[in-house]
Amino acid sequence: MLIKHPKKSDSKENQVTDESIYKDRRRLLKSLGFIGAGSLLSTTPSHALNLFGSDESQTFQTKALKFTQPKPYQIKEKLTPEQKVISHNNFYEFGTSKSDPIANAQEFKVDPWSLTIEGLVEKPITLGYEDLFSKFDLEERIYRMRCVEAWSMVIPWIGFSLANIIKQAKPMSTAKYVAFETLHDPDQMPGQRSRFSGGGIDYPYVEGLRLDEAMHHLTLMSVGLYGKTLPAQNGAPIRLVVPWKYGFKSIKSIVKIRLTDKMPPTTWNLLARREYGFYANVNPQVDHPRWSQASERRITSGGLLTRNRIPTQMFNGYEEVASLYSGMDLTKLY
Amino acid sequence: MHMTVLKTIIHLVSLGLLVLTFYQAINDQLGADPVEALLHFTGIGAFNLLLLSLLVSPLAKFSKQIVFIRIRRLLGLYAFFYGLSHFVSYIIFELQLEWTLLLSEIIKRPYITVGFAALLILTALTITSTQSIQRKMGRTWQKLHNWVYVAGLLVALHFIWSVKSNLIEPLIYWLILTLLLATRTNKLKLFYRRRFSKNPPNKK
């Protein structure tokens, strides 16, 4: 007769994992991971619902928007997850690190707001906070966003063509350029309080476009993303989105749009003329002096091991704008 | 404190943080762009460890506790290890094995060139770090290892050159490095004259 003397280290029958669970282990682990990640994501909304929390740590409120989804702007590319779009921002007014804006912009006040369209126009316009969402038909447009630092995202913006406002203001024939200005409010924007905290930028942040670029239908005034109004760190309540140009052209939290006859100064060009031009069109053939622009890393979901480097396209793939620059030497006018 | 305890702490902190950061990056828990976060962590980590290794001998002299010298090599090795992780991460995760791009970036971009040069120096110091090699090399060993000061300067240059506009952090690092080098003024003068001056002092 065979007598078994089990060793201490031997497994007993009741310790063996059921085969069905064993075969399902990958999905189980994934779902565990999802619960973990989910609890991280939920910290913001649950915080917002905390009625008894102190006023010091208010979270910025966004609200759902009504909009249409015109076909030509619904591209098929994989979207960058909302959590990444709202936590990876270059908005030096709220700190120079990419995770700073979401941390420092939570108490930003956008209502009341005042946006003026002025300069060489026959009918200057002033828009209040509610006007930003009601005066123009809102559309959802999925755009590629290419940062000059050679990473990119795909973002479902909500807004309207800048041309709609400019037409209403009736530009004079002498108007050749459009200048934009971000809010200057050091009380609310810590980066504007000193040269050190704001990355050496002379505030307010200013940007500009040629009038024909501004009138192009792709040029968007965005008031929202992912179906809701813009989070503060993404440039609430209203920002520019010019998808064929590097991201720094897409100025945030705009208070002034001024039509002029001279090329307006632009912030990054003032800071480093050789590195950032007025046009700043996405162009894989013209490198930034310190890094190549030939390819980019597309930020979607997935960690370190995701192979996300893709070739950069001329005008970020928006070939329809090429005619705006015919005859121009884009290696000089970068 | 016993040196073994101190060494164990250095191992645990340096290795632990590196493993944790890689783990988080792989699982997409390191912010929106894990590649950028990882490059930043390994780069700053390497610089911190290099500065700590440079702090050892002034500290040992000042406290008259010569035993501290024994942790210098460990810190230096970890500085190299973090620097290597930084470079390897850049190749694998940032450039994603585009070798032609790597080559052109090292040649064309001065801030990458100096960073790469610093890593080459640290590699030479790492290879020659064992006691047997130290004994074999004799006097030349110290001469070679004085290049750590050049590596420090190159790393500081690499850092300040790589940022877009926020200079405050790299400037703080420059200040710390300058202070650490200032404790070695005499040695540096000698090193400079031997290496770069047209009229070197008598070589023994």
Side-chain angles (χ1 to χ4, degrees):
Chain A
M1 184 185 154
L2 177 72
I3 297 170
K4 276 188 178 174
H5 289 285
K7 281 181 285 180
K8 256 199 171 161
S9 61
D10 285 350
S11 300
K12 296 189 183 71
E13 192 68 25
N14 66 357
Q15 290 174 323
V16 174
T17 305
D18 194 80
E19 192 190 355
S20 64
I21 291 175
Y22 175 76
K23 282 185 171 161
D24 206 20
R25 66 196 184 280
R26 288 170 202 279
R27 196 195 58 78
L28 270 171
L29 281 172
K30 268 186 203 154
S31 64
L32 285 174
F34 191 76
I35 292 166
S39 66
L40 275 177
L41 291 182
S42 68
T43 50
T44 319
S46 67
H47 197 87
L49 291 173
N50 181 6
L51 297 173
F52 306 102
S54 71
D55 287 4
E56 282 171 76
S57 55
Q58 283 176 336
T59 47
F60 188 85
Q61 302 290 324
T62 59
K63 58 172 199 266
L65 287 170
K66 283 206 184 84
F67 52 88
T68 58
Q69 295 177 305
K71 269 257 163 57
Y73 301 115
Q74 309 302 310
I75 57 170
K76 287 275 178 297
E77 285 166 64
K78 190 180 175 194
L79 297 181
T80 303
E82 182 179 5
Q83 188 57 31
K84 293 200 171 194
V85 174
I86 67 171
S87 64
H88 193 72
N89 310 97
N90 275 326
F91 197 176
Y92 283 16
E93 282 83 343
F94 293 107
T96 54
S97 159
K98 291 196 180 58
S99 52
D100 283 344
I102 192 172
N104 297 336
Q106 292 301 325
E107 291 172 52
F108 187 46
K109 299 233 173 353
V110 292
D111 185 10
W113 193 263
S114 165
L115 167 63
T116 59
I117 295 90
E118 52 182 60
L120 300 174
V121 292
E122 284 167 24
K123 284 176 58 188
I125 302 173
T126 300
L127 298 172
Y129 180 76
E130 290 299 334
D131 299 334
L132 302 177
F133 309 98
S134 59
K135 290 261 167 164
F136 305 93
D137 292 333
L138 300 182
E139 298 175 348
E140 182 173 68
R141 299 185 182 184
I142 302 174
Y143 280 166
R144 292 176 289 273
M145 153 78 88
R146 170 64 157 79
C147 179
V148 74
E149 298 164 4
W151 52 268
S152 62
M153 293 183 172
V154 179
I155 304 170
W157 299 108
I158 294 161
F160 49 87
S161 285
L162 172 61
N164 294 356
I165 307 189
I166 295 182
K167 275 183 213 151
Q168 260 192 20
K170 295 203 162 60
M172 296 175 185
S173 59
T174 46
K176 294 282 178 289
Y177 292 93
V178 184
F180 303 84
E181 197 176 305
T182 295
L183 176 72
H184 187 252
D185 187 355
D187 286 341
Q188 291 206 77
M189 295 174 151
Q192 293 178 339
R193 279 174 219 158
S194 86
R195 280 251 161 177
F196 294 116
S197 56
I201 286 175
D202 200 4
Y203 291 103
Y205 195 97
V206 287
E207 258 306 335
L209 293 172
R210 231 169 43 193
L211 185 58
D212 57 344
E213 296 176 320
M215 297 300 284
H216 196 279
H217 69 93
L218 281 172
T219 304
L220 184 74
M221 292 301 285
S222 169
V223 295
L225 57 84
Y226 266 104
K228 302 176 289 272
T229 53
L230 288 173
Q233 64 273 22
N234 290 83
I238 188 163
R239 65 170 292 168
L240 184 68
V241 180
V242 194
W244 72 90
K245 291 176 181 284
Y246 291 121
F248 67 86
K249 293 296 287 184
S250 294
I251 182 172
K252 300 184 177 84
S253 305
I254 304 171
V255 291
K256 204 189 282 179
I257 299 177
R258 189 176 177 81
L259 278 71
T260 68
D261 52 358
K262 288 186 201 68
M263 185 184 275
T266 59
T267 290
W268 279 96
N269 182 246
L270 291 173
L271 205 68
R273 201 165 290 276
R274 228 168 57 81
E275 302 194 346
Y276 312 98
F278 173 80
Y279 286 96
N281 292 319
V282 175
N283 187 343
Q285 273 120 47
V286 178
D287 285 346
H288 184 281
R290 287 184 284 154
W291 54 83
S292 165
Q293 296 289 28
S295 55
E296 68 204 47
R297 279 188 309 100
R298 174 63 56 83
I299 296 175
T300 53
S301 51
L304 197 55
L305 304 178
T306 321
R307 294 291 296 266
N308 58 1
R309 185 164 280 279
I310 54 174
T312 292
Q313 305 175 72
M314 188 66 206
F315 299 118
N316 203 18
Y318 297 94
E319 285 291 341
E320 59 261 57
V321 301
S323 60
L324 294 173
Y325 309 102
S326 54
M328 281 171 56
D329 181 356
L330 295 179
T331 55
K332 291 209 177 76
L333 298 165
Y334 50 84
Chain B
M1 190 167 18
H2 201 274
M3 279 305 119
T4 325
V5 179
L6 197 53
K7 278 187 178 177
T8 312
I9 291 173
I10 294 170
H11 278 297
L12 283 177
V13 172
S14 311
L15 263 186
L17 285 177
L18 198 63
V19 169
L20 179 72
T21 308
F22 266 96
Y23 174 83
Q24 287 180 323
I26 286 166
N27 291 294
D28 203 12
Q29 294 163 355
L30 211 60
D33 188 359
V35 178
E36 188 191 317
L38 181 67
L39 283 176
H40 206 79
F41 169 78
T42 49
I44 280 289
F47 202 3
N48 287 340
L49 285 158
L50 191 65
L51 292 177
L52 276 176
S53 77
L54 290 175
L55 180 67
V56 171
S57 48
L59 200 68
K61 259 183 226 160
F62 182 74
S63 65
K64 300 206 169 72
Q65 295 285 318
I66 209 72
V67 286
F68 275 124
I69 293 294
R70 287 198 220 152
I71 62 164
R72 192 172 58 180
R73 179 172 65 182
L74 189 60
L75 289 169
L77 288 175
Y78 268 119
F80 165 74
F81 191 52
Y82 267 65
L84 188 67
S85 309
H86 183 65
F87 184 57
V88 169
S89 300
Y90 173 67
I91 296 172
I92 299 181
F93 306 120
E94 171 71 36
L95 301 184
Q96 296 173 13
L97 305 175
E98 278 194 37
W99 298 102
T100 46
L101 184 57
L102 172 68
L103 207 67
S104 70
E105 293 289 88
I106 289 182
I107 297 165
K108 278 203 290 196
R109 320 287 169 198
Y111 86 98
I112 292 179
T113 318
V114 297
F116 185 65
L119 185 64
L120 288 183
I121 294 176
L122 293 185
T123 309
L125 305 191
T126 301
I127 292 169
T128 58
S129 64
T130 66
Q131 279 185 343
S132 62
I133 292 181
Q134 182 176 8
R135 249 178 266 127
K136 265 181 219 153
M137 286 179 73
R139 205 186 288 276
T140 39
W141 188 89
Q142 188 56 56
K143 279 189 197 159
L144 175 67
H145 279 249
N146 282 344
W147 280 85
V148 72
Y149 307 125
V150 180
L153 290 168
L154 290 175
V155 172
L157 194 61
H158 172 69
F159 185 23
I160 203 163
W161 220 334
S162 69
V163 299
K164 252 166 92 189
S165 73
N166 34 324
L167 296 175
I168 189 82
E169 201 186 351
L171 283 174
I172 292 171
Y173 272 85
W174 267 105
L175 182 71
I176 296 170
L177 181 69
T178 311
L179 288 175
L180 286 171
L181 293 183
T183 63
R184 302 162 159 94
T185 323
N186 290 332
K187 198 174 173 187
L188 285 172
K189 271 186 197 156
L190 203 64
F191 175 70
Y192 176 79
R193 262 184 268 154
R194 280 204 182 125
R195 287 282 153 209
F196 303 107
S197 164
K198 281 175 187 160
N199 312 308
N202 311 333
K203 282 189 181 167
K204 283 174 194 167

